[in-house]
Amino acid sequence: MIRGRFALVVALPKGRNFSDGYRALAQAGLELPPIENERALLHGREGGVAILELRNHDVPIYVDLGIADVGVVGHDVLLESGRDVYEPVDLGSGACRLSLIRHPQARGPIRRIATKYPNFTSRVLRERGMVADIIELAGNVELAALTGLADAVVDVVQTGATLKAAGLVELEVLAHSTARFIVNRQALKLKRALIRPLIERLREQSSSRGPERAPGETE
Ligand code: PRP
């Protein structure tokens, strides 16, 4: 069990948002443990700050259920998770979008959509009064559009390099996303003295830096 052994438990996602999240929190004055062993999943010493290194979609779960007190995760993941976490700061980093993507030669109605974001996708379909089967995949979703597993996919586009390499086209941007600082609602009360000033400093930092846009993205 981790509860009570650390002053603060921070959930960070592996990959793109890890280093940006780590940097933002360190700049805000949080005494983070050094990442000494790249393969470790839990960094930190008893009594200090601990970092849990998680898959993107697991960050809101750990924070909502109070295993982690705070975390950093993309807004896209929060749109999917439906978890009840406090989302006080837009860090502005990790800008990307959730888009509807298709093979340029695909014709006819979209009856089957593959995605890592099934809840988000079904919400979009419902709002538009559209009907399609949703196939949930764990990764490399573009392959579904390339191979004909699905008529279209809903996936993250950041630089657009993956789309380009696969020869797919972005039909429509469904949502924009940036990294967010999230907080467990109970921890906000119990660890107020630590978390409140952190929120304030993160807000100051992100407002002085201004929004980051995904490459190729315009206002
Ligand atoms: C995401 C997404 C795309 C890619 C888009 O995958 O699913 O495949 O990044 O980024 P780009 O526009 O910069 O090319 P991720 O790397 O998170 O891996 P996954 O598909 O295994 O989840």
Side-chain angles (χ1 to χ4, degrees):
M1 285 294 284
I2 196 171
R3 196 164 282 170
R5 283 173 47 206
F6 297 95
L8 193 76
V9 179
V10 181
L12 291 181
K14 279 177 184 293
R16 303 169 204 246
N17 280 327
F18 188 93
S19 46
D20 286 346
Y22 187 100
R23 201 174 314 120
L25 292 170
Q27 258 173 30
L30 190 64
E31 278 192 38
L32 291 170
I35 308 299
E36 281 160 348
N37 177 358
E38 297 260 328
R39 297 197 66 84
L41 304 175
L42 194 160
H43 311 272
R45 289 188 211 290
E46 299 236 346
V49 176
I51 294 179
L52 305 180
E53 205 169 328
L54 301 168
R55 294 298 299 263
N56 253 324
H57 286 258
D58 296 341
V59 171
I61 300 172
Y62 274 77
V63 174
D64 181 21
L65 298 180
I67 305 301
D69 300 304
V70 301
V72 172
V73 73
H75 185 61
D76 57 314
V77 175
L78 294 170
L79 285 173
E80 173 63 19
S81 82
R83 289 280 169 177
D84 179 32
V85 293
Y86 178 44
E87 192 186 330
V89 192
D90 181 347
L91 298 174
S93 56
C96 62
R97 50 204 191 259
L98 280 174
S99 295
L100 182 66
I101 293 159
R102 235 187 157 181
H103 193 281
Q105 268 127 43
R107 298 278 175 270
I110 295 173
R111 295 215 171 88
R112 214 150 57 169
I113 302 177
T115 187
K116 284 184 288 189
Y117 297 80
N119 298 326
F120 169 77
T121 303
S122 67
R123 208 161 54 236
V124 169
L125 291 177
R126 214 170 31 246
E127 280 164 12
R128 295 172 177 211
M130 285 169 62
V131 179
D133 288 337
I134 295 170
I135 305 175
E136 183 174 359
L137 294 178
N140 294 351
V141 174
E142 292 81 2
L143 269 179
L146 268 184
T147 57
L149 176 74
D151 302 316
V153 304
V154 168
D155 201 18
V156 172
V157 180
Q158 190 169 40
T159 61
T162 309
L163 276 191
K164 200 170 167 207
L168 299 173
V169 290
E170 195 175 1
L171 290 186
E172 190 184 341
V173 176
L174 303 174
H176 288 278
S177 172
T178 43
R180 307 296 161 97
F181 178 65
I182 59 172
V183 182
N184 172 273
R185 292 187 186 277
Q186 213 180 353
L188 182 66
K189 294 184 193 131
L190 295 175
K191 300 188 178 179
R192 194 180 179 84
L194 193 57
I195 295 175
R196 274 286 168 204
L198 188 58
I199 291 173
E200 289 317 314
R201 286 195 295 268
L202 287 169
R203 279 186 177 147
E204 283 162 22
Q205 274 171 210
S206 77
S207 64
S208 68
R209 214 178 23 236
E212 178 198 309
R213 299 220 158 260
E217 202 178 303
T218 49
E219 193 80 49

